[in-house]
């Protein structure tokens, strides 16, 4: 993928890590394969893309790039639902990785910025995938409150990217007004 980007677009100036998934795999009874899948997508995939984006920027002397991790409110709190506890652990990792990235960029004397955007409930296919055996429950979770929309997250990305070059926005936590946790 990164080789193709280099050929087609010369490289990366902005990386938005938006892949993420939750599987209903509790800590006490979950399948190791499900845990590995979540780690591979939510932590390893994000880290590989971050590294490759940074290398692309460095190779081309881009010192004003931006790496944005689409995280989750689950990276800041743990809800009382066993099915998402392991997922929360992966999102806490994203919180730590974003701050670690920011520190490494400062140490490298880079002006590339690192931001985490942590939304609450966003009306996507996410709940349907998490609750794949119970689509009615997934639909009800979205119908119960006025959820965030993909456009709301896109607006947060635009906001972060439009900040002056000397402004580091570390984390945006956003959730629907009606969301309780």
């Amino acid at each position: 993928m990164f080789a193709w980007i280099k050929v087609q677009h010369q490289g990366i100036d902005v990386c938005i890590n938006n892949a993420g998934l939750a599987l209903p795999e509790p800590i006490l009874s979950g399948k190791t394969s499900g845990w590995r899948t979540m780690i591979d997508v939510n932590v390893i995939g994000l880290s590989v893309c971050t590294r490759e984006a940074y290398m692309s920027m460095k190779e081309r002397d881009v010192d004003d790039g931006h790496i944005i991790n689409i995280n989750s409110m689950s990276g800041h709190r743990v809800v009382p639902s066993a099915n998402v506890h392991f997922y929360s652990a992966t999102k806490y990792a994203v919180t730590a990785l974003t701050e670690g990235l920011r520190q490494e960029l400062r140490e490298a004397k880079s002006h590339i910025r690192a931001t985490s955007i942590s939304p609450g409930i966003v009306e996507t296919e996410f709940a349907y995938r998490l609750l794949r055996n119970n689509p009615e429950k997934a639909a009800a979770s979205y119908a119960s409150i006025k959820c965030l929309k993909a456009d709301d997250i896109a607006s947060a990305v635009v906001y972060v990217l439009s900040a002056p070059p000397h402004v580091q926005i570390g984390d945006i936590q956003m959730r629907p007004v009606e969301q309780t946790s």
Side-chain angles (χ1 to χ4, degrees):
M1 172 174 68
F2 290 94
W4 181 88
I5 292 170
K6 185 174 183 176
V7 169
Q8 296 297 317
H9 304 286
Q10 289 72 53
I12 297 168
D13 292 2
V14 173
C15 175
I16 302 171
N17 289 310
N18 188 39
L21 71 103
L23 300 172
E25 302 292 355
I27 296 166
L28 296 179
S29 60
K31 293 186 210 84
T32 305
S33 61
W35 295 341
R36 282 196 177 114
T37 298
M38 285 186 274
I39 291 284
D40 284 347
V41 172
N42 299 352
V43 178
I44 302 297
L46 175 138
S47 298
V48 168
C49 289
T50 296
R51 179 192 65 212
E52 296 302 314
Y54 171 72
M55 296 305 290
S56 174
M57 292 178 213
K58 186 176 174 185
E59 176 181 286
R60 296 173 301 108
D61 294 321
V62 172
D63 194 43
D64 61 347
H66 210 127
I67 298 170
I68 300 172
N69 295 328
I70 306 300
N71 195 355
S72 170
M73 286 302 298
S74 291
H76 303 276
R77 48 89 171 120
V78 178
V79 297
S81 174
N83 280 345
V84 294
H85 289 159
F86 195 89
Y87 166 76
S88 291
T90 69
K91 291 304 186 172
Y92 266 86
V94 171
T95 301
L97 287 166
T98 305
E99 176 57 17
L101 172 63
R102 187 195 67 77
Q103 291 179 20
E104 288 187 34
L105 290 167
R106 295 299 69 79
E107 188 176 309
K109 307 286 189 236
S110 173
H111 293 98
I112 297 168
R113 295 178 283 175
T115 300
S116 175
I117 298 176
S118 300
I121 298 173
V122 182
E123 191 171 350
T124 64
E125 72 287 341
F126 187 88
Y128 291 100
R129 289 183 180 160
L130 177 63
L131 302 167
R132 61 183 172 259
N133 295 329
N134 195 340
E136 298 80 21
K137 186 174 181 181
S141 71
Y142 291 138
S144 66
I145 63 171
K146 183 174 172 116
C147 297
L148 297 175
K149 305 286 187 199
D151 284 347
D152 299 320
I153 312 314
S155 293
V157 169
V158 170
Y159 170 74
V160 165
L161 291 173
S162 66
H166 68 283
V167 175
Q168 170 73 55
I169 299 171
D171 191 15
I172 293 178
Q173 295 181 26
M174 54 193 295
R175 65 184 98 182
V177 171
E178 299 172 342
Q179 185 175 339
T180 58
S181 62

